[in-house]
Short mmCIF file of all heavy atoms in Angstrom, two decimals:
data_model
loop_
_atom_site.label_atom_id
_atom_site.label_comp_id
_atom_site.label_asym_id
_atom_site.label_seq_id
_atom_site.Cartn_x
_atom_site.Cartn_y
_atom_site.Cartn_z
N LEU A 30 114.14 56.66 43.17
CA LEU A 30 112.72 56.92 43.16
C LEU A 30 112.42 58.15 42.35
O LEU A 30 112.95 59.22 42.61
CB LEU A 30 112.21 57.15 44.59
CG LEU A 30 112.16 55.95 45.50
CD1 LEU A 30 111.90 56.39 46.92
CD2 LEU A 30 111.13 54.97 45.05
N SER A 31 111.60 58.01 41.38
CA SER A 31 111.19 59.16 40.59
C SER A 31 109.66 59.19 40.55
O SER A 31 109.00 58.18 40.76
CB SER A 31 111.75 59.09 39.17
OG SER A 31 111.22 57.97 38.50
N LEU A 32 109.12 60.34 40.28
CA LEU A 32 107.68 60.52 40.23
C LEU A 32 107.29 61.17 38.92
O LEU A 32 108.03 61.98 38.38
CB LEU A 32 107.23 61.41 41.39
CG LEU A 32 107.58 60.93 42.78
CD1 LEU A 32 107.26 62.01 43.80
CD2 LEU A 32 106.82 59.66 43.10
N LYS A 33 106.12 60.84 38.43
CA LYS A 33 105.58 61.52 37.25
C LYS A 33 104.56 62.53 37.72
O LYS A 33 103.73 62.24 38.57
CB LYS A 33 104.93 60.52 36.31
CG LYS A 33 105.93 59.69 35.55
CD LYS A 33 105.26 58.90 34.46
CE LYS A 33 106.31 58.14 33.69
NZ LYS A 33 105.75 57.44 32.54
N ASP A 34 104.64 63.74 37.14
CA ASP A 34 103.66 64.77 37.49
C ASP A 34 102.44 64.63 36.58
O ASP A 34 102.34 63.70 35.80
CB ASP A 34 104.28 66.17 37.43
CG ASP A 34 104.74 66.56 36.04
OD1 ASP A 34 104.35 65.90 35.05
OD2 ASP A 34 105.50 67.54 35.93
N ALA A 35 101.51 65.57 36.69
CA ALA A 35 100.27 65.52 35.92
C ALA A 35 100.52 65.54 34.40
O ALA A 35 99.73 64.99 33.64
CB ALA A 35 99.37 66.68 36.31
N ASP A 36 101.63 66.15 33.98
CA ASP A 36 101.96 66.21 32.55
C ASP A 36 102.73 64.98 32.09
O ASP A 36 103.12 64.89 30.93
CB ASP A 36 102.79 67.46 32.26
CG ASP A 36 102.02 68.74 32.52
OD1 ASP A 36 100.78 68.72 32.36
OD2 ASP A 36 102.64 69.75 32.89
N GLY A 37 103.01 64.05 33.00
CA GLY A 37 103.76 62.86 32.64
C GLY A 37 105.26 63.03 32.68
O GLY A 37 105.99 62.14 32.28
N LYS A 38 105.73 64.19 33.17
CA LYS A 38 107.17 64.44 33.27
C LYS A 38 107.73 63.72 34.50
O LYS A 38 107.10 63.67 35.54
CB LYS A 38 107.47 65.94 33.39
CG LYS A 38 107.03 66.74 32.19
CD LYS A 38 108.01 66.60 31.08
CE LYS A 38 107.61 67.54 29.94
NZ LYS A 38 108.50 67.46 28.83
N VAL A 39 108.93 63.18 34.36
CA VAL A 39 109.58 62.46 35.45
C VAL A 39 110.45 63.44 36.24
O VAL A 39 111.16 64.25 35.65
CB VAL A 39 110.46 61.32 34.90
CG1 VAL A 39 111.23 60.63 36.00
CG2 VAL A 39 109.60 60.32 34.14
N SER A 40 110.39 63.34 37.57
CA SER A 40 111.25 64.19 38.39
C SER A 40 111.72 63.40 39.61
O SER A 40 111.13 62.40 40.01
CB SER A 40 110.51 65.46 38.83
OG SER A 40 109.45 65.14 39.69
N VAL A 41 112.82 63.86 40.18
CA VAL A 41 113.41 63.27 41.37
C VAL A 41 114.08 64.40 42.15
O VAL A 41 114.53 65.38 41.55
CB VAL A 41 114.43 62.17 41.00
CG1 VAL A 41 115.62 62.72 40.25
CG2 VAL A 41 114.88 61.40 42.22
N THR A 42 114.13 64.30 43.46
CA THR A 42 114.81 65.34 44.22
C THR A 42 116.31 65.11 44.17
O THR A 42 116.79 63.98 44.02
CB THR A 42 114.35 65.39 45.69
OG1 THR A 42 114.70 64.17 46.32
CG2 THR A 42 112.87 65.67 45.81
N PHE A 43 117.06 66.19 44.32
CA PHE A 43 118.51 66.11 44.29
C PHE A 43 119.04 65.19 45.38
O PHE A 43 119.96 64.41 45.16
CB PHE A 43 119.12 67.51 44.43
CG PHE A 43 120.63 67.51 44.43
CD1 PHE A 43 121.33 67.17 43.30
CD2 PHE A 43 121.33 67.85 45.57
CE1 PHE A 43 122.72 67.16 43.30
CE2 PHE A 43 122.71 67.85 45.59
CZ PHE A 43 123.40 67.51 44.45
N GLY A 44 118.44 65.23 46.56
CA GLY A 44 118.89 64.39 47.67
C GLY A 44 118.80 62.91 47.36
O GLY A 44 119.71 62.15 47.64
N ILE A 45 117.70 62.51 46.76
CA ILE A 45 117.52 61.10 46.39
C ILE A 45 118.53 60.71 45.32
O ILE A 45 119.17 59.66 45.39
CB ILE A 45 116.08 60.83 45.92
CG1 ILE A 45 115.12 60.94 47.11
CG2 ILE A 45 115.96 59.47 45.26
CD1 ILE A 45 113.66 60.88 46.73
N LEU A 46 118.69 61.54 44.33
CA LEU A 46 119.63 61.28 43.25
C LEU A 46 121.06 61.21 43.77
O LEU A 46 121.82 60.31 43.44
CB LEU A 46 119.50 62.36 42.18
CG LEU A 46 120.20 62.12 40.85
CD1 LEU A 46 119.65 60.88 40.18
CD2 LEU A 46 120.01 63.34 39.96
N PHE A 47 121.42 62.15 44.63
CA PHE A 47 122.77 62.23 45.16
C PHE A 47 123.11 61.02 46.03
O PHE A 47 124.24 60.53 46.01
CB PHE A 47 122.97 63.51 45.97
CG PHE A 47 124.40 63.82 46.28
CD1 PHE A 47 125.16 64.59 45.42
CD2 PHE A 47 125.00 63.33 47.44
CE1 PHE A 47 126.48 64.87 45.70
CE2 PHE A 47 126.32 63.61 47.73
CZ PHE A 47 127.07 64.39 46.85
N SER A 48 122.15 60.52 46.79
CA SER A 48 122.42 59.42 47.71
C SER A 48 122.29 58.04 47.09
O SER A 48 122.61 57.04 47.72
CB SER A 48 121.50 59.52 48.93
OG SER A 48 120.16 59.35 48.54
N ASP A 49 121.85 57.95 45.83
CA ASP A 49 121.69 56.67 45.16
C ASP A 49 123.06 56.11 44.76
O ASP A 49 123.81 56.74 44.03
CB ASP A 49 120.81 56.85 43.92
CG ASP A 49 120.52 55.53 43.23
OD1 ASP A 49 119.53 54.88 43.60
OD2 ASP A 49 121.30 55.16 42.34
N ASP A 50 123.39 54.92 45.25
CA ASP A 50 124.69 54.31 44.97
C ASP A 50 124.93 54.04 43.49
O ASP A 50 126.03 54.25 42.99
CB ASP A 50 124.85 52.99 45.75
CG ASP A 50 125.00 53.21 47.23
OD1 ASP A 50 125.45 54.31 47.63
OD2 ASP A 50 124.68 52.28 47.99
N ARG A 51 123.89 53.58 42.79
CA ARG A 51 124.06 53.32 41.35
C ARG A 51 124.38 54.61 40.61
O ARG A 51 125.25 54.63 39.73
CB ARG A 51 122.79 52.70 40.77
CG ARG A 51 122.55 51.28 41.24
CD ARG A 51 121.26 50.74 40.69
NE ARG A 51 120.17 51.59 41.17
CZ ARG A 51 118.96 51.61 40.68
NH1 ARG A 51 118.65 50.83 39.68
NH2 ARG A 51 118.03 52.40 41.17
N CYS A 52 123.71 55.67 40.97
CA CYS A 52 123.95 56.96 40.32
C CYS A 52 125.35 57.46 40.63
O CYS A 52 126.05 57.96 39.76
CB CYS A 52 122.91 57.98 40.78
SG CYS A 52 123.06 59.56 39.98
N ALA A 53 125.77 57.33 41.89
CA ALA A 53 127.10 57.78 42.29
C ALA A 53 128.19 57.04 41.53
O ALA A 53 129.23 57.63 41.18
CB ALA A 53 127.28 57.60 43.79
N ASN A 54 127.98 55.77 41.25
CA ASN A 54 128.97 55.00 40.51
C ASN A 54 129.01 55.36 39.03
O ASN A 54 130.05 55.28 38.39
CB ASN A 54 128.70 53.50 40.66
CG ASN A 54 128.98 53.01 42.05
OD1 ASN A 54 129.82 53.56 42.76
ND2 ASN A 54 128.27 51.99 42.47
N ILE A 55 127.88 55.76 38.49
CA ILE A 55 127.81 56.12 37.07
C ILE A 55 128.32 57.54 36.84
O ILE A 55 129.09 57.79 35.93
CB ILE A 55 126.37 55.97 36.55
CG1 ILE A 55 125.94 54.51 36.61
CG2 ILE A 55 126.24 56.51 35.14
CD1 ILE A 55 124.48 54.27 36.35
N PHE A 56 127.87 58.49 37.67
CA PHE A 56 128.22 59.89 37.50
C PHE A 56 129.13 60.34 38.63
O PHE A 56 128.66 60.72 39.70
CB PHE A 56 126.96 60.76 37.50
CG PHE A 56 125.97 60.40 36.44
CD1 PHE A 56 124.75 59.86 36.79
CD2 PHE A 56 126.26 60.60 35.11
CE1 PHE A 56 123.82 59.53 35.82
CE2 PHE A 56 125.34 60.26 34.13
CZ PHE A 56 124.12 59.73 34.48
N GLU A 57 130.43 60.28 38.42
CA GLU A 57 131.38 60.68 39.46
C GLU A 57 131.21 62.15 39.82
O GLU A 57 131.36 62.54 40.96
CB GLU A 57 132.81 60.39 39.01
CG GLU A 57 133.12 58.92 38.92
CD GLU A 57 134.53 58.68 38.47
OE1 GLU A 57 135.40 59.55 38.70
OE2 GLU A 57 134.77 57.60 37.91
N ALA A 58 130.91 62.97 38.84
CA ALA A 58 130.73 64.40 39.07
C ALA A 58 129.28 64.77 38.80
O ALA A 58 128.95 65.41 37.81
CB ALA A 58 131.67 65.19 38.17
N LEU A 59 128.40 64.36 39.71
CA LEU A 59 126.96 64.52 39.51
C LEU A 59 126.56 65.98 39.28
O LEU A 59 125.80 66.28 38.37
CB LEU A 59 126.19 63.95 40.70
CG LEU A 59 124.67 64.10 40.67
CD1 LEU A 59 124.09 63.40 39.45
CD2 LEU A 59 124.07 63.58 41.94
N VAL A 60 127.08 66.89 40.08
CA VAL A 60 126.69 68.30 39.96
C VAL A 60 127.08 68.85 38.60
O VAL A 60 126.28 69.53 37.94
CB VAL A 60 127.32 69.12 41.11
CG1 VAL A 60 127.06 70.60 40.90
CG2 VAL A 60 126.77 68.67 42.45
N GLY A 61 128.27 68.54 38.13
CA GLY A 61 128.70 69.00 36.81
C GLY A 61 127.87 68.38 35.69
O GLY A 61 127.53 69.05 34.71
N THR A 62 127.53 67.12 35.86
CA THR A 62 126.69 66.44 34.87
C THR A 62 125.31 67.08 34.81
O THR A 62 124.77 67.30 33.73
CB THR A 62 126.57 64.94 35.22
OG1 THR A 62 127.89 64.37 35.26
CG2 THR A 62 125.73 64.20 34.20
N LEU A 63 124.75 67.40 35.97
CA LEU A 63 123.44 68.06 36.00
C LEU A 63 123.49 69.45 35.36
O LEU A 63 122.58 69.83 34.64
CB LEU A 63 122.91 68.15 37.43
CG LEU A 63 122.41 66.85 38.04
CD1 LEU A 63 122.12 67.04 39.52
CD2 LEU A 63 121.18 66.34 37.30
N ARG A 64 124.55 70.20 35.64
CA ARG A 64 124.67 71.54 35.04
C ARG A 64 124.76 71.45 33.52
O ARG A 64 124.13 72.23 32.81
CB ARG A 64 125.90 72.27 35.60
CG ARG A 64 125.70 72.68 37.05
CD ARG A 64 126.85 73.47 37.56
NE ARG A 64 126.80 74.81 36.96
CZ ARG A 64 127.76 75.70 37.08
NH1 ARG A 64 128.85 75.40 37.75
NH2 ARG A 64 127.65 76.88 36.53
N ALA A 65 125.53 70.48 33.02
CA ALA A 65 125.64 70.29 31.57
C ALA A 65 124.29 69.87 30.97
O ALA A 65 123.89 70.37 29.92
CB ALA A 65 126.71 69.25 31.25
N ALA A 66 123.58 68.99 31.66
CA ALA A 66 122.26 68.54 31.19
C ALA A 66 121.27 69.69 31.19
O ALA A 66 120.42 69.80 30.31
CB ALA A 66 121.76 67.39 32.06
N LYS A 67 121.39 70.58 32.18
CA LYS A 67 120.50 71.74 32.23
C LYS A 67 120.79 72.69 31.07
O LYS A 67 119.87 73.21 30.43
CB LYS A 67 120.65 72.47 33.57
CG LYS A 67 119.66 73.60 33.74
CD LYS A 67 119.75 74.22 35.11
CE LYS A 67 118.72 75.32 35.27
NZ LYS A 67 118.78 75.94 36.58
N ARG A 68 122.06 72.92 30.77
CA ARG A 68 122.43 73.79 29.64
C ARG A 68 121.90 73.24 28.32
O ARG A 68 121.52 73.99 27.43
CB ARG A 68 123.95 73.94 29.55
CG ARG A 68 124.52 74.97 30.47
CD ARG A 68 125.95 75.33 30.12
NE ARG A 68 126.82 74.18 30.05
CZ ARG A 68 127.55 73.69 31.06
NH1 ARG A 68 127.49 74.27 32.24
NH2 ARG A 68 128.31 72.65 30.90
N LYS A 69 121.88 71.90 28.20
CA LYS A 69 121.39 71.27 26.97
C LYS A 69 119.89 71.04 26.99
O LYS A 69 119.33 70.41 26.10
CB LYS A 69 122.11 69.94 26.76
CG LYS A 69 123.58 70.14 26.46
CD LYS A 69 124.26 68.83 26.19
CE LYS A 69 125.72 69.11 25.86
NZ LYS A 69 126.37 67.93 25.31
N LYS A 70 119.23 71.54 28.06
CA LYS A 70 117.78 71.45 28.21
C LYS A 70 117.28 70.01 28.25
O LYS A 70 116.21 69.68 27.72
CB LYS A 70 117.07 72.27 27.14
CG LYS A 70 117.49 73.73 27.18
CD LYS A 70 116.51 74.60 26.49
CE LYS A 70 116.96 76.04 26.38
NZ LYS A 70 117.39 76.70 27.55
N VAL A 71 118.06 69.14 28.91
CA VAL A 71 117.65 67.76 29.13
C VAL A 71 116.91 67.66 30.47
O VAL A 71 115.97 66.89 30.60
CB VAL A 71 118.87 66.81 29.12
CG1 VAL A 71 118.49 65.39 29.47
CG2 VAL A 71 119.56 66.86 27.76
N VAL A 72 117.35 68.45 31.45
CA VAL A 72 116.70 68.52 32.76
C VAL A 72 116.50 69.98 33.12
O VAL A 72 117.12 70.88 32.53
CB VAL A 72 117.54 67.84 33.88
CG1 VAL A 72 117.75 66.37 33.59
CG2 VAL A 72 118.84 68.55 34.11
N THR A 73 115.66 70.21 34.11
CA THR A 73 115.49 71.56 34.64
C THR A 73 115.37 71.47 36.15
O THR A 73 114.88 70.47 36.68
CB THR A 73 114.28 72.29 34.03
OG1 THR A 73 114.29 73.65 34.46
CG2 THR A 73 112.97 71.64 34.41
N TYR A 74 115.88 72.49 36.82
CA TYR A 74 115.77 72.62 38.27
C TYR A 74 116.01 74.07 38.62
O TYR A 74 116.57 74.83 37.82
CB TYR A 74 116.75 71.70 39.02
CG TYR A 74 118.19 71.84 38.60
CD1 TYR A 74 119.02 72.79 39.18
CD2 TYR A 74 118.73 71.02 37.62
CE1 TYR A 74 120.34 72.91 38.80
CE2 TYR A 74 120.05 71.14 37.24
CZ TYR A 74 120.85 72.08 37.83
OH TYR A 74 122.16 72.20 37.44
N GLU A 75 115.58 74.46 39.81
CA GLU A 75 115.73 75.84 40.25
C GLU A 75 117.16 76.09 40.69
O GLU A 75 117.75 75.28 41.39
CB GLU A 75 114.77 76.11 41.40
CG GLU A 75 114.62 77.57 41.73
CD GLU A 75 113.54 77.80 42.77
OE1 GLU A 75 112.42 77.29 42.59
OE2 GLU A 75 113.84 78.48 43.76
N GLY A 76 117.71 77.22 40.28
CA GLY A 76 119.06 77.59 40.67
C GLY A 76 120.10 77.13 39.67
O GLY A 76 119.78 76.53 38.64
N GLU A 77 121.35 77.43 39.98
CA GLU A 77 122.46 77.07 39.10
C GLU A 77 123.28 75.91 39.65
O GLU A 77 123.66 75.01 38.93
CB GLU A 77 123.38 78.28 38.87
CG GLU A 77 122.78 79.33 37.97
CD GLU A 77 122.53 78.83 36.58
OE1 GLU A 77 123.41 78.15 36.00
OE2 GLU A 77 121.43 79.08 36.06
N LEU A 78 123.57 75.95 40.95
CA LEU A 78 124.45 74.98 41.57
C LEU A 78 123.71 74.26 42.68
O LEU A 78 123.11 74.90 43.55
CB LEU A 78 125.68 75.69 42.15
CG LEU A 78 126.72 74.83 42.83
CD1 LEU A 78 127.38 73.90 41.82
CD2 LEU A 78 127.77 75.71 43.48
N LEU A 79 123.73 72.93 42.66
CA LEU A 79 123.06 72.15 43.70
C LEU A 79 124.12 71.59 44.66
O LEU A 79 125.12 71.04 44.21
CB LEU A 79 122.26 71.00 43.08
CG LEU A 79 121.13 71.42 42.16
CD1 LEU A 79 120.50 70.20 41.49
CD2 LEU A 79 120.08 72.20 42.92
N LEU A 80 123.88 71.74 45.95
CA LEU A 80 124.80 71.27 46.97
C LEU A 80 124.10 70.26 47.87
O LEU A 80 122.94 70.47 48.26
CB LEU A 80 125.31 72.44 47.81
CG LEU A 80 126.03 73.54 47.05
CD1 LEU A 80 126.32 74.71 47.98
CD2 LEU A 80 127.32 73.02 46.45
N GLN A 81 124.81 69.19 48.21
CA GLN A 81 124.24 68.17 49.09
C GLN A 81 123.88 68.79 50.43
O GLN A 81 124.61 69.60 50.97
CB GLN A 81 125.24 67.04 49.29
CG GLN A 81 124.67 65.92 50.13
CD GLN A 81 125.70 64.85 50.45
OE1 GLN A 81 126.88 65.05 50.31
NE2 GLN A 81 125.21 63.71 50.90
N GLY A 82 122.75 68.41 50.95
CA GLY A 82 122.27 68.94 52.22
C GLY A 82 121.41 70.17 52.03
O GLY A 82 120.23 70.17 52.36
N VAL A 83 121.97 71.20 51.45
CA VAL A 83 121.26 72.46 51.25
C VAL A 83 120.13 72.32 50.24
O VAL A 83 119.05 72.88 50.42
CB VAL A 83 122.24 73.56 50.78
CG1 VAL A 83 121.52 74.87 50.51
CG2 VAL A 83 123.34 73.76 51.80
N HIS A 84 120.37 71.58 49.18
CA HIS A 84 119.41 71.49 48.07
C HIS A 84 118.81 70.09 47.92
O HIS A 84 118.35 69.73 46.84
CB HIS A 84 120.08 71.91 46.76
CG HIS A 84 120.55 73.32 46.77
ND1 HIS A 84 121.88 73.65 46.78
CD2 HIS A 84 119.86 74.48 46.81
CE1 HIS A 84 121.99 74.96 46.82
NE2 HIS A 84 120.77 75.49 46.83
N ASP A 85 118.79 69.30 49.00
CA ASP A 85 118.28 67.93 48.91
C ASP A 85 116.82 67.85 48.46
O ASP A 85 116.43 66.86 47.86
CB ASP A 85 118.43 67.21 50.25
CG ASP A 85 119.86 66.76 50.53
OD1 ASP A 85 120.70 66.87 49.62
OD2 ASP A 85 120.11 66.30 51.65
N ASN A 86 116.03 68.87 48.73
CA ASN A 86 114.61 68.83 48.37
C ASN A 86 114.29 69.51 47.04
O ASN A 86 113.12 69.64 46.68
CB ASN A 86 113.77 69.45 49.49
CG ASN A 86 113.83 68.62 50.75
OD1 ASN A 86 113.83 67.40 50.68
ND2 ASN A 86 113.91 69.27 51.89
N VAL A 87 115.30 69.93 46.31
CA VAL A 87 115.08 70.58 45.01
C VAL A 87 114.72 69.52 43.97
O VAL A 87 115.48 68.57 43.75
CB VAL A 87 116.34 71.36 44.55
CG1 VAL A 87 116.18 71.88 43.14
CG2 VAL A 87 116.63 72.50 45.51
N PRO A 88 113.56 69.65 43.33
CA PRO A 88 113.18 68.68 42.30
C PRO A 88 113.95 68.92 41.00
O PRO A 88 114.16 70.06 40.58
CB PRO A 88 111.68 68.91 42.10
CG PRO A 88 111.44 70.29 42.58
CD PRO A 88 112.50 70.61 43.60
N ILE A 89 114.36 67.83 40.38
CA ILE A 89 115.02 67.87 39.08
C ILE A 89 114.06 67.17 38.11
O ILE A 89 113.70 66.01 38.32
CB ILE A 89 116.37 67.12 39.12
CG1 ILE A 89 117.29 67.78 40.14
CG2 ILE A 89 117.00 67.08 37.74
CD1 ILE A 89 118.51 66.95 40.49
N GLN A 90 113.65 67.90 37.10
CA GLN A 90 112.65 67.37 36.15
C GLN A 90 113.33 67.01 34.85
O GLN A 90 114.09 67.79 34.27
CB GLN A 90 111.57 68.41 35.91
CG GLN A 90 110.45 67.89 35.04
CD GLN A 90 109.39 68.93 34.80
OE1 GLN A 90 109.68 70.01 34.31
NE2 GLN A 90 108.16 68.60 35.15
N LEU A 91 113.03 65.81 34.37
CA LEU A 91 113.54 65.34 33.08
C LEU A 91 112.69 65.94 31.97
O LEU A 91 111.47 65.78 31.95
CB LEU A 91 113.47 63.81 33.03
CG LEU A 91 114.03 63.13 31.80
CD1 LEU A 91 115.54 63.39 31.68
CD2 LEU A 91 113.75 61.65 31.85
N LEU A 92 113.33 66.69 31.07
CA LEU A 92 112.60 67.33 29.98
C LEU A 92 112.54 66.45 28.73
O LEU A 92 111.58 66.46 27.98
CB LEU A 92 113.26 68.66 29.62
CG LEU A 92 113.24 69.70 30.73
CD1 LEU A 92 114.02 70.94 30.29
CD2 LEU A 92 111.84 70.05 31.15
N LYS A 93 113.61 65.69 28.48
CA LYS A 93 113.61 64.74 27.38
C LYS A 93 114.47 63.55 27.78
O LYS A 93 115.45 63.70 28.51
CB LYS A 93 114.09 65.37 26.08
CG LYS A 93 115.40 66.10 26.13
CD LYS A 93 115.67 66.76 24.80
CE LYS A 93 116.87 67.67 24.87
NZ LYS A 93 117.16 68.30 23.59
N ASP A 94 114.11 62.39 27.31
CA ASP A 94 114.77 61.18 27.77
C ASP A 94 115.88 60.67 26.85
O ASP A 94 116.46 59.64 27.10
CB ASP A 94 113.77 60.07 28.05
CG ASP A 94 112.93 59.72 26.85
OD1 ASP A 94 113.18 60.26 25.76
OD2 ASP A 94 112.02 58.89 27.00
N SER A 95 116.18 61.41 25.80
CA SER A 95 117.32 61.05 24.95
C SER A 95 117.90 62.32 24.36
O SER A 95 117.21 63.30 24.16
CB SER A 95 116.91 60.08 23.85
OG SER A 95 115.96 60.70 23.00
N VAL A 96 119.19 62.27 24.11
CA VAL A 96 119.88 63.45 23.59
C VAL A 96 120.17 63.28 22.13
O VAL A 96 120.40 62.26 21.62
CB VAL A 96 121.19 63.68 24.37
CG1 VAL A 96 121.91 64.90 23.85
CG2 VAL A 96 120.89 63.82 25.83
#
Protein backbone atom coordinates (compact mmCIF):
# COMPACT_ATOMS: atom_id res chain seq x y z
CA LEU A 1 0.00 0.00 0.00
CA SER A 2 1.40 3.33 -1.00
CA LEU A 3 -0.08 6.80 -0.87
CA LYS A 4 0.42 9.91 -2.95
CA ASP A 5 0.80 13.19 -1.11
CA ALA A 6 -0.38 16.62 -2.30
CA ASP A 7 2.74 16.93 -4.51
CA GLY A 8 2.06 13.57 -6.15
CA LYS A 9 5.00 11.87 -4.41
CA VAL A 10 4.53 8.21 -3.50
CA SER A 11 5.27 7.07 0.05
CA VAL A 12 4.86 3.97 2.19
CA THR A 13 5.65 3.27 5.83
CA PHE A 14 8.58 1.05 6.68
CA GLY A 15 6.31 -1.40 8.52
CA ILE A 16 4.13 -1.99 5.48
CA LEU A 17 7.14 -2.35 3.20
CA PHE A 18 8.94 -4.67 5.62
CA SER A 19 5.94 -6.97 6.10
CA ASP A 20 5.10 -7.27 2.37
CA ASP A 21 5.93 -10.81 1.18
CA ARG A 22 6.63 -9.75 -2.40
CA CYS A 23 9.06 -7.11 -1.20
CA ALA A 24 10.77 -9.54 1.18
CA ASN A 25 11.33 -11.99 -1.66
CA ILE A 26 12.76 -9.33 -3.97
CA PHE A 27 14.94 -7.46 -1.44
CA GLU A 28 16.64 -9.91 0.92
CA ALA A 29 18.46 -7.05 2.63
CA LEU A 30 15.73 -4.40 2.69
CA VAL A 31 17.44 -2.07 5.17
CA GLY A 32 20.68 -2.04 3.17
CA THR A 33 18.77 -1.50 -0.05
CA LEU A 34 16.91 1.45 1.46
CA ARG A 35 20.15 3.00 2.77
CA ALA A 36 21.74 2.70 -0.69
CA ALA A 37 18.62 4.19 -2.32
CA LYS A 38 18.70 7.06 0.16
CA ARG A 39 22.38 7.78 -0.61
CA LYS A 40 21.51 7.89 -4.32
CA LYS A 41 18.55 10.19 -3.56
CA VAL A 42 15.97 7.72 -4.90
CA VAL A 43 14.05 7.66 -1.59
CA THR A 44 14.05 9.76 1.55
CA TYR A 45 13.13 8.99 5.15
CA GLU A 46 13.98 10.33 8.58
CA GLY A 47 17.05 8.85 10.25
CA GLU A 48 19.82 6.61 8.99
CA LEU A 49 18.87 3.08 10.04
CA LEU A 50 15.35 1.64 10.05
CA LEU A 51 14.53 -1.23 12.40
CA GLN A 52 11.43 -3.42 12.34
CA GLY A 53 9.04 -2.58 15.15
CA VAL A 54 10.77 0.62 16.24
CA HIS A 55 10.43 2.42 12.90
CA ASP A 56 7.28 0.78 11.47
CA ASN A 57 5.52 4.16 11.18
CA VAL A 58 8.39 6.00 9.45
CA PRO A 59 7.28 7.12 5.98
CA ILE A 60 9.59 6.37 3.06
CA GLN A 61 9.05 8.75 0.15
CA LEU A 62 9.96 7.90 -3.44
CA LEU A 63 11.87 10.82 -4.94
CA LYS A 64 12.33 9.38 -8.43
CA ASP A 65 10.96 6.24 -10.02
CA SER A 66 13.96 5.27 -12.14
CA VAL A 67 17.68 5.34 -11.65
